Amino acid sequence: MGLVGMPNVGKTTLFSALSRVEAEVSNYPFCTIDRNQAVVPVPDPRLETLADIFGQEKRTPTTIEFIDIAGLVRGASEGQGLGNQFLGHIRQVDAIAHVLRCFEQADVAHVESTVDPLRDLELVEVELALADLATVERRMKRTGERRHQAPEEYEAENEVLAELAEGLRRGEPVRRAELPDEAQPLVRELFLLTAKPVLWIANVAEADLAGGSPLADQVRARAEAQGIPCLTVCAKLEADLADLPEEEAAEFIEELELPASGLDQVIEESYRLLDLITFFTAVGAEARAWTLRRGGTAEEAAGKIHTDMAKGFIKAEVGAFDELAKAGSWQALKDAGRVRLHGRDYVVQDGDVLIIRFSS
Ligand SMILES: Nc1nc2c(ncn2[C@@H]2O[C@H](COP(=O)(O)OP(=O)(O)OP(=O)(O)O)[C@@H](O)[C@H]2O)c(=O)[nH]1
Ligand SMILES: [Mg+2]
């Protein structure tokens, strides 16, 4: 997950809250030069229940990786700011969290002088679209050069590329283009920035968290119209809370009558956006949550745990978490006939508890 946005909108502040480490924060634009990476645990109450059922002390959540990317400015697609380098960083992430500044704070400079999240949103989207357009045009040139060798391939590919280019010239992200299924492999191959799934994060002042913010409302309305997930957080408060011991933070949240942790929302929404599912294991002394792409098989799941498990895969015993929680124990679930034996091609479901049988 990449944190993207204009300079001084609060990306690094949010990132340091996420990573619970102090990344460098300053009120000068471009303080993030190298990208920062953090591996963040994904909160999941099911893991606690599972560990209690199996009587395990050790609980290992699954994780998601966040990358704090430096601010993007007008002209980034042509190399302004630290343009190209950062666009390269965005290219490597699976999904984007676009942070939008909705807080006014006189001593924090805005590179465009005023606080206007919708303008910022469009500005960044246009830069990303222009960067994609350059990618598409380069590819068109290459495709064109092969026109005589493979005319049919050329035609098909050129058609898709032309359509992509047309939308991008209007500043429209590729994710909004209605492309035929045949176009998808090419889109994937091009690693287009605007094809990545995105969520918007309205970063508001602490005072606006409870009272509401007209600027965040603007962002939310736009998000709803475009079907994009949108969250409101106060990055600064999240960073402050992350520094407190857990109990104090919880008291603080209650006192201020804040909604559930904004950070958890960011993590959970990101996980959903990446289209990942969670499966569980509870073997030996450890209950553990694991990540799998939606549609992944039992064999792939085994491979997440250990390559030997995938290689020597025999069968998987599978129980659904909800049924297990109701049954109260694995044995009770078994007695009820709700533990199934599946082969390597079984498509793992979110919440499955797996016991893999394998030969080593
Ligand atoms: N009042 C207020 N200030 C904030 C909030 N979030 C960030 N800031 C301040 O804004 C300034 C910039 O924050 P950063 O997190 O460094 O911004 P950035 O988006 O990483 O900026 P670049 O790395 O330059 O692209 C810092 O002084 C933060 O303390 C917020 O929610 N409320
Ligand atoms: Mg930063």
Side-chain angles (χ1 to χ4, degrees), residues 86-316:
F86 299 160
L87 292 170
H89 291 155
I90 303 175
R91 215 170 288 290
Q92 288 158 25
V93 301
D94 293 321
I96 292 172
H98 189 163
V99 182
L100 294 155
R101 173 163 168 180
C102 299
F103 65 90
E104 307 264 0
Q105 172 110 353
D107 65 354
V108 178
H110 193 300
V111 288
E112 294 278 320
S113 306
T114 54
V115 175
D116 181 346
L118 291 185
R119 174 207 55 211
D120 290 359
L121 176 69
E122 279 162 24
L123 201 152
V124 168
E125 288 205 324
V126 164
E127 290 306 327
L128 298 182
L130 289 174
D132 279 351
L133 182 60
T135 305
V136 168
E137 283 175 341
R138 262 196 310 276
R139 179 63 175 238
M140 277 175 119
K141 195 159 160 259
R142 210 187 92 189
T143 310
E145 282 159 6
R146 292 191 319 201
R147 179 178 200 153
H148 298 295
Q149 294 158 8
E152 258 171 56
E153 233 173 88
Y154 161 79
E155 280 303 335
E157 194 169 305
N158 201 50
E159 208 171 294
V160 175
L161 291 170
E163 203 177 320
L164 286 173
E166 202 188 296
L168 287 166
R169 273 189 206 105
R170 288 194 303 265
E172 246 170 54
V174 169
R175 79 180 73 85
R176 283 223 298 278
E178 280 168 28
L179 297 167
D181 287 347
E182 304 89 79
Q184 295 309 329
L186 180 59
V187 170
R188 270 197 296 277
E189 201 183 314
L190 293 173
F191 288 100
L192 297 174
L193 306 172
T194 66
K196 295 179 193 291
V198 71
L199 72 88
W200 295 343
I201 298 178
N203 184 17
V204 299
E206 193 177 320
D208 291 341
L209 260 188
S213 143
L215 291 174
D217 288 346
Q218 288 178 10
V219 173
R220 195 161 325 102
R222 175 77 59 93
E224 260 165 40
Q226 294 189 7
I228 287 173
C230 179
L231 297 170
T232 302
V233 301
C234 174
K236 201 149 181 286
L237 177 70
E238 296 299 337
D240 292 344
L241 284 174
D243 284 339
L244 294 177
E246 215 166 293
E247 272 172 36
E248 270 178 59
E251 273 172 35
F252 208 62
I253 288 176
E254 208 173 316
E255 231 167 81
L256 293 175
E257 293 178 26
L258 299 173
S261 159
L263 271 194
D264 284 356
Q265 286 180 47
V266 170
I267 299 167
E268 283 161 17
E269 202 57 60
S270 298
Y271 200 70
R272 232 189 316 272
L273 190 67
L274 290 162
D275 209 17
L276 301 171
I277 62 163
T278 302
F279 71 92
F280 300 94
T281 55
V283 181
E286 183 188 32
R288 186 158 176 173
W290 305 82
T291 294
L292 191 67
R293 66 173 181 93
R294 192 179 297 285
T297 63
E299 185 179 358
E300 282 172 56
K304 295 275 172 184
I305 304 168
H306 202 290
T307 41
D308 288 349
M309 276 197 179
K311 267 191 226 141
F313 186 97
I314 301 169
K315 287 270 177 212

Side-chain angles (χ1 to χ4, degrees), residues 24-66:
E24 194 187 348
V25 179
S26 84
N27 34 12
Y28 300 104
F30 301 122
C31 85
T32 306
I33 305 295
D34 283 313
R35 69 187 165 158
N36 299 319
Q37 286 173 263
V39 175
V40 178
V42 178
D44 191 331
R46 294 177 297 184
L47 182 61
E48 303 303 324
T49 311
L50 185 75
D52 289 344
I53 288 175
F54 281 85
Q56 287 150 329
E57 280 300 317
K58 192 167 177 210
R59 293 134 203 234
T60 309
T62 190
T63 57
I64 178 170
E65 190 179 325
F66 281 86

